[in-house]
Amino acid sequence: MELHINGKTYSVQSEGDTPLLWVIRDELGLTGTKYGCGIAQCGACSVLVDGEVMRSCVTPVEGVKGRNITTIEGVEEDPIGQRVVAAWVEHQVPQCGYCQSGQVMAATSLLKQTPQPSEAQIAASMTNLCRCGTYNAISAAVQDLAGGGPSAAAEKARMQAATAANGRGMRS
Amino acid sequence: MSQSTDINGHNETFPTDETPTNISRRRFLLASAGVAAGALVLGFGLPLDTARARGATAAAGSPPRVPAFLEIRPDGGIRLQSPFNEGGQGIFTAMAQIVGEELDADPTHFLVENAPPGKQYTVMSNGMRITGGSMSVRFGYTAMRRIGALARMMLLQAAAHQWGIAVGELTTEPGRVIHKASGKSLDYGQLAPHAMALAVPDADSVKLKDPGQFRWIGKPVKRVDVYDKSTGRVEYTIDTRVDGMLQAAVQHAPRLGMTVGRIRNEAQIKAMKGVHSVHILDGAVAVVAERWWNAKRAAETAQVDWQEPKPDPSARHMPTDFSTKSYREHLANASGDGETAESKGHVGDALKGAQTVVNATYSSQYVHHAQLEPPSALAHFHDDGTLEIWLPNQAPDMFLADIAKRAGVDADKIILHSPMLGGFFGRHFLYGPGNPYMQAVQLAKATGRPIKLIWSREEEFLRDPMRPMAVVKFRGGLDANGMPVALEAISATEGPTEGIANQRSKKKVDDSAVEGLTGKAYAIPNRRIAQLYVKTPAMLAYWRSVGHSMNDFLYETFLDELADKGGQDPFELRMKLLKGNQRLTHLLQAVAELAGGWKRGPFTAADGSRRARGVAMASPFGSQTAAIAEVSLENGQVRVHDIWQAVDPGSIVNPAIIDAQVAGATALGLSEVLLEEAVYENGQPRARNYDMYPILPPDRMPKVHARIVESGAKMGGIGEPPLPATPPAVANAVSHLTGQRIRSMPLSQYDFSA
């Protein structure tokens, strides 16, 4: 089976009913997408399929063959995804960070469908759980993006400067 | 001095004392640990035998351990080993700020990692090394500042030597040494190679900065981990991987203590796709496969005959007739005065002489950690017998000792990695069968392959040790003016510390069971706080803010009940009871001011809803907090609109991180008071996932307004303190709004639509 992920084509061996999440994480080694509950409750596994957010822990892989999948590893290749990441940094959103891949994907999907969402639309779309309680920072970041947001280019330049000085932001 | 020999016959020595040492010249081991050539490295000694063991095992390909604490690279990069693990609380940033302040280097450019086990990283002034108890900054502050100051002094000395100028004529600017008189300057990276041979100055020879001169401490410095956490780049334990690794899933016994009799369909699950092998563990069946999904499917397919355990008082056993409902009744029926934890005056006499006596029974509930990263562990035995292991933990040295003991592996032959934590809230201490790492070690031994074991969410909720349940009987006495003259609280419970030890506290009172009932600042002249020990079969744990997470709810809601009985406004009553306590009256005034002045309501808000406010205070982990909550009702359930919270931790390191911790701890407190309760029936939890155990979702999150008050008192904690005042502030508001006294959590069990 062939999968299109982040602009690349992968040939995968997993059975068709395997959740996309485990194909991405285990077979392809893209571990930025997280397992939290396995029953589409928490949203840590959110990815984009043809630009729309899906909870990959309950998405059989055979259902997404031939479609364009974006994971957190590819989010900055998308101009909107890049702006979302920049806003996450600007608003210092993450705490433990475990749910944030999914949150960034959910926000990217929302803004791709609805560039200037209302507060109610943001609330209706941003439903992923966060045990650290970063909800208000998430909503501030998305509202900022809905209103134009921080300049993605300026933010990217700032980040690259920091990265150059640093080697890399952080290692675990 | 100790010796270490590499395969090429190089001899390298590490000093054995515990003062900081310049180990820059120990190139072989440093290079193998990824330290840049030409870097200035401050480290600490390794015990003699450890170094020898490492020298021997290096030959067999297991990675070396290097006691490097702070590394200044020739390219100017700075790498810091943090004694405390990062799990969302911002400690890597705070450590970089503290070291960077004295080193005079921009903390946002630090590369921070969690330090390996080793007593050289025991920097806390209380002689411990754990990431918990909101202790990292307040107990590590001075030691970490000194390390930065010593490194700065060495860079000054290196520059002095280079230029032939006295150290006293030199100073620093962030990242470089300067000689103002001549205008010369050298970057730290340029100086690092020249500092490599210098002795570390005597710790007493460096003077720490005057706080008035701080450049970074006290400022909202950006976090060092945010970009990586916004792009999925952080590697948590669940993401780790080594060559040749297999993956494992388990099916736990439905009740703790049961053992595997027989797997009825073993042949069937062995034949399932991708299955490598099936194993019987202590209280669990494990399936090993190439991929975790296949392991999980096979593990949950296993049909197991579970057996009741033989009586063993040293182990906890969940009986078939256990339910949280009957256990709550059991606690409520426990009789006796308990063991005194705190006492003042004569509560019995004062109650006899009181105008009004109020008796009331309050209770708390079991709650789950429900951190979003399910527990996992990766265990890898190298050919020489060295065990390399990755696991989530809040105390690396304790885990290493436990693994050595239980796996029968010499501590020197264990390399323990502590990846960043996908939330913790107390989840990652030593909890016996509540941790997965021994299962991973056993499976790695049995298969001869590296094993990554992941507990599914369902298996996690079955073995997650819980925050204790307590039933507290209060007696309060009021005088003719409605002022409390006596308060007694007898808590029937088993505390987390004695529960984890599976042994009643030798002091007869477990402090972690009663904190938050004890240590209250209110001037009630006669009071007695006691614990009535009642053992539970459930596994217990620390949960963010520990005893405070339930006890401040219990106490502060009863205090409102007393206020109402005495005809007093709850805010005014607290002010009266704190008269003369400048720190706390100031804090209470600060939170009222933040909320636009105290008003209890009920009042009608702009959107037409009827609302009320509640107030509560707490004194957790060396800090002081006061919270006000504003609530209304929506379809019979509580909506919290705003939480205002004032926090006084004495002094601070990073106000932006504190704001985030106030928001986060408030959210967890809200989750507890609004939604959470782990319910057991027939010895089994009703909820095995977030569908039946809801945690606070985004649409229940109120606005959170934080005010940091720096009273200058001794530095307190921050990660846990903003939790305990939140639940009672909400409950007090609800009691007032509805006229229905709230004496237990969660509020979702009440129907307010009538």
Side-chain angles (χ1 to χ4, degrees):
Chain A
M1 185 184 333
E2 286 199 338
L3 290 184
H4 303 301
I5 303 178
N6 303 332
K8 287 187 202 147
T9 300
Y10 296 87
S11 175
V12 302
Q13 311 303 318
S14 295
E15 287 177 305
D17 61 352
T18 307
L20 174 62
L21 171 67
W22 294 105
V23 178
I24 292 171
R25 285 182 57 84
D26 269 5
E27 188 168 352
L28 304 179
L30 299 170
T31 53
T33 305
K34 301 304 184 198
Y35 165 61
C37 68
I39 57 167
Q41 288 285 310
C42 74
C45 64
S46 300
V47 299
L48 304 188
V49 177
D50 294 334
E52 274 190 59
V53 72
M54 287 183 92
R55 292 188 168 175
S56 66
C57 72
V58 292
T59 303
V61 65
E62 65 196 349
V64 294
K65 6 174 226 206
R67 300 172 70 182
N68 286 313
I69 299 161
T70 309
T71 69
I72 188 72
E73 286 86 355
V75 80
E76 285 187 287
E77 303 303 314
D78 181 295
I80 291 171
Q82 204 179 98
R83 284 178 58 222
V84 171
V85 169
W88 250 240
V89 172
E90 183 61 28
H91 287 266
Q92 297 276 294
V93 171
Q95 289 190 24
C96 89
Y98 195 79
C99 75
Q100 297 298 343
S101 297
Q103 306 280 8
V104 165
M105 300 316 284
T108 303
S109 172
L110 167 65
L111 293 163
K112 282 170 95 72
Q113 323 300 323
T114 314
Q116 291 179 324
S118 65
E119 221 168 300
Q121 286 171 314
I122 293 171
S125 297
M126 300 301 292
T127 57
N128 290 1
L129 298 177
C130 171
R131 190 59 161 167
C132 299
T134 64
Y135 297 133
N136 291 344
I138 289 171
S139 125
V142 178
Q143 278 174 28
D144 198 356
L145 288 161
S151 156
E155 186 57 30
K156 185 89 183 169
R158 195 190 67 76
M159 236 144 45
Q160 276 165 350
T163 307
N166 196 4
R168 248 247 334 265
M170 150 112 271
R171 273 175 48 186
S172 59
Chain B
M1 301 289 272
S2 63
Q3 282 214 322
S4 153
T5 307
D6 72 55
I7 46 171
N8 298 318
H10 299 110
N11 277 317
E12 302 215 31
T13 56
F14 283 106
T16 54
D17 55 280
E18 283 183 64
T19 51
T21 311
N22 184 349
I23 56 170
S24 311
R25 296 287 194 195
R26 279 67 160 185
R27 276 311 312 158
F28 176 78
L29 280 181
L30 291 177
S32 55
V35 173
L40 167 63
V41 185
L42 288 193
F44 293 81
L46 275 180
L48 185 67
D49 52 351
T50 306
R52 281 208 182 111
R54 299 309 320 144
T57 55
S62 59
R65 287 176 289 195
V66 177
F69 214 123
L70 178 67
E71 175 194 350
I72 297 163
R73 297 169 165 178
D75 66 2
I78 295 172
R79 186 164 82 156
L80 173 68
Q81 302 283 315
S82 167
F84 308 104
N85 203 357
E86 176 62 55
Q89 80 282 43
I91 197 62
F92 278 8
T93 307
M95 287 293 124
Q97 262 178 282
I98 296 166
V99 173
E101 184 67 63
E102 297 290 346
L103 175 60
D104 205 2
D106 186 345
T108 61
H109 291 178
F110 274 47
L111 186 76
V112 188
E113 297 170 345
N114 191 18
K119 64 178 179 175
Q120 62 271 24
Y121 297 107
T122 306
V123 299
M124 285 160 75
S125 49
N126 60 0
M128 298 167 77
R129 181 187 171 194
I130 64 167
T131 305
S134 300
M135 292 195 284
S136 305
V137 169
R138 56 187 170 129
F139 288 101
Y141 191 61
T142 305
M144 298 307 284
R145 284 177 70 189
R146 189 161 286 133
I147 284 166
L150 288 169
R152 176 177 174 271
M153 177 53 73
M154 293 174 71
L155 293 162
L156 284 167
Q157 288 173 349
H161 192 252
Q162 284 298 108
W163 292 329
I165 299 172
V167 168
E169 291 181 39
L170 304 178
T171 185
T172 58
E173 280 179 2
R176 61 199 185 111
V177 176
I178 56 170
H179 181 234
K180 276 191 179 146
S182 65
K184 281 194 280 209
S185 79
L186 281 169
D187 292 345
Y188 284 177
Q190 293 172 292
L191 285 166
H194 303 289
M196 287 171 65
L198 297 176
V200 177
D202 182 26
D204 298 330
S205 71
V206 293
K207 194 170 168 293
L208 299 182
K209 270 188 176 175
D210 181 297
Q213 305 299 310
F214 283 165
R215 188 191 292 265
W216 288 292
I217 291 177
K219 307 293 191 309
V221 170
K222 299 265 185 188
R223 290 180 53 144
V224 297
D225 51 359
V226 156
Y227 176 70
D228 281 357
K229 285 179 172 176
S230 303
T231 49
R233 284 176 165 82
V234 167
E235 190 176 77
Y236 303 89
T237 300
I238 201 169
D239 304 320
T240 54
R241 175 183 285 264
V242 297
D243 286 345
M245 173 181 98
L246 294 172
Q247 305 206 53
V250 295
Q251 180 188 144
H252 281 123
R255 288 182 283 109
L256 185 68
M258 298 180 92
T259 58
V260 179
R262 183 173 80 92
I263 306 169
R264 295 195 300 277
N265 60 342
E266 190 165 348
Q268 183 203 341
I269 58 175
K270 275 184 171 159
M272 285 176 74
K273 160 129 180 149
V275 171
H276 170 279
S277 49
V278 178
H279 304 261
I280 291 175
L281 304 175
D282 195 13
V285 165
V287 176
V288 172
E290 286 287 339
R291 304 225 170 101
W292 189 76
W293 178 250
N294 292 328
K296 176 189 184 271
R297 278 230 283 218
E300 66 194 12
T301 304
Q303 296 166 6
V304 185
D305 290 334
W306 299 102
Q307 294 180 330
E308 293 295 336
K310 296 186 183 73
D312 176 6
S314 71
R316 286 171 108 84
H317 168 224
M318 176 59 72
T320 186
D321 60 353
F322 180 82
S323 78
T324 36
K325 187 165 176 284
S326 62
Y327 183 64
R328 181 175 275 107
E329 285 161 14
H330 181 58
L331 290 173
N333 290 332
S335 60
D337 290 338
E339 299 287 338
T340 302
E342 187 182 286
S343 176
K344 191 170 189 294
H346 299 279
V347 114
D349 294 349
L351 284 168
K352 277 187 201 122
Q355 176 82 15
T356 312
V357 173
V358 183
N359 292 303
T361 301
Y362 282 66
S363 65
S364 67
Q365 76 279 40
Y366 287 131
V367 291
H368 281 303
H369 296 93
Q371 79 295 340
L372 226 47
E373 181 195 7
S376 62
L378 167 54
H380 180 196
F381 281 99
H382 290 269
D383 291 343
D384 65 355
T386 299
L387 170 61
E388 191 170 10
I389 188 160
W390 288 256
L391 76 173
N393 74 83
Q394 296 177 238
D397 299 279
M398 290 168 70
F399 277 71
L400 189 140
D402 186 68
I403 293 165
K405 193 172 101 194
R406 290 166 68 192
V409 178
D410 191 354
D412 294 338
K413 305 262 277 181
I414 299 172
I415 298 169
L416 183 142
H417 303 275
S418 308
M420 272 206 255
L421 303 167
F424 57 118
F425 320 115
R427 177 64 184 92
H428 298 305
F429 285 113
L430 290 176
Y431 292 129
N435 304 111
Y437 55 86
M438 281 311 298
Q439 295 176 343
V441 169
Q442 280 177 278
L443 294 170
K445 253 186 201 168
T447 57
R449 297 273 293 271
I451 295 285
K452 180 163 79 177
L453 169 74
I454 302 171
W455 280 1
S456 67
R457 177 59 57 189
E458 289 79 9
E459 296 306 320
E460 159 65 350
F461 271 24
L462 192 55
R463 284 293 176 273
D464 177 37
M466 298 176 292
R467 196 280 308 277
M469 182 197 294
V471 172
V472 177
K473 286 181 183 149
F474 284 104
R475 290 197 294 165
L478 302 171
D479 68 12
N481 299 318
M483 284 300 288
V485 290
L487 188 150
E488 183 182 58
I490 301 172
S491 178
T493 191
E494 179 177 15
T497 301
E498 60 198 356
I500 294 162
N502 199 30
Q503 192 170 30
R504 187 180 177 187
S505 171
K506 289 198 175 64
K507 296 190 305 181
K508 299 283 176 75
V509 172
D510 179 349
D511 294 337
S512 66
V514 292
E515 59 183 7
L517 295 171
T518 59
K520 300 299 281 191
Y522 304 118
I524 298 173
N526 303 284
R527 53 184 193 258
R528 178 176 180 268
I529 309 298
Q531 182 190 358
L532 192 57
Y533 175 77
V534 184
K535 196 170 163 61
T536 171
M539 274 196 295
L540 300 179
Y542 300 120
W543 192 84
R544 195 173 189 172
S545 77
V546 193
H548 288 281
S549 68
M550 59 183 184
N551 289 327
D552 286 295
F553 164 81
L554 301 165
Y555 190 109
E556 293 282 323
T557 46
F558 179 65
L559 188 61
D560 260 40
E561 185 166 351
L562 286 183
D564 285 340
K565 283 276 167 34
Q568 307 246 9
D569 175 86
F571 183 89
E572 295 307 326
L573 175 67
R574 284 173 174 81
M575 286 301 273
K576 284 182 200 165
L577 291 172
L578 294 170
K579 199 175 164 201
N581 183 333
Q582 210 183 338
R583 186 181 183 190
L584 291 189
T585 50
H586 178 236
L587 190 71
L588 196 51
Q589 278 160 346
V591 76
E593 193 183 293
L594 186 64
W598 167 248
K599 56 169 179 178
R600 196 182 188 196
F603 53 89
T604 303
D607 66 357
S609 61
R610 287 289 285 168
R611 299 187 184 186
R613 290 184 180 180
V615 62
M617 302 181 80
S619 306
F621 303 93
S623 291
Q624 300 291 339
T625 66
I628 291 175
E630 181 172 313
V631 308
S632 69
L633 297 178
E634 218 176 81
N635 306 319
Q637 282 296 307
V638 173
R639 172 155 295 278
V640 182
H641 298 274
D642 292 87
I643 299 276
W644 296 270
Q645 184 152 197
V647 179
D648 176 5
S651 61
I652 67 165
V653 170
N654 189 321
I657 291 176
I658 292 176
D659 280 348
Q661 288 302 293
V662 172
T666 297
L668 197 57
L670 281 170
S671 195
E672 173 194 19
V673 70
L674 293 176
L675 298 167
E676 292 187 37
E677 179 175 21
V679 175
Y680 270 69
E681 287 159 355
N682 305 317
Q684 297 185 40
R686 196 164 68 191
R688 300 282 296 271
N689 210 319
Y690 296 113
D691 53 347
M692 296 289 283
Y693 187 91
I695 62 172
L696 192 80
D699 64 357
R700 300 289 296 268
M701 184 75 185
K703 293 193 193 82
V704 178
H705 318 264
R707 176 167 296 175
I708 300 166
V709 177
E710 284 189 84
S711 62
K714 189 178 172 198
M715 191 187 275
I718 272 302
E720 296 165 279
L723 194 151
T726 300
V730 170
N732 285 337
V734 172
S735 286
H736 185 59
L737 182 66
T738 63
Q740 182 174 347
R741 183 61 57 192
I742 303 299
R743 297 195 181 97
S744 65
M745 302 178 278
L747 292 167
S748 56
Q749 72 190 316
Y750 298 83
D751 182 0
F752 298 109
S753 48

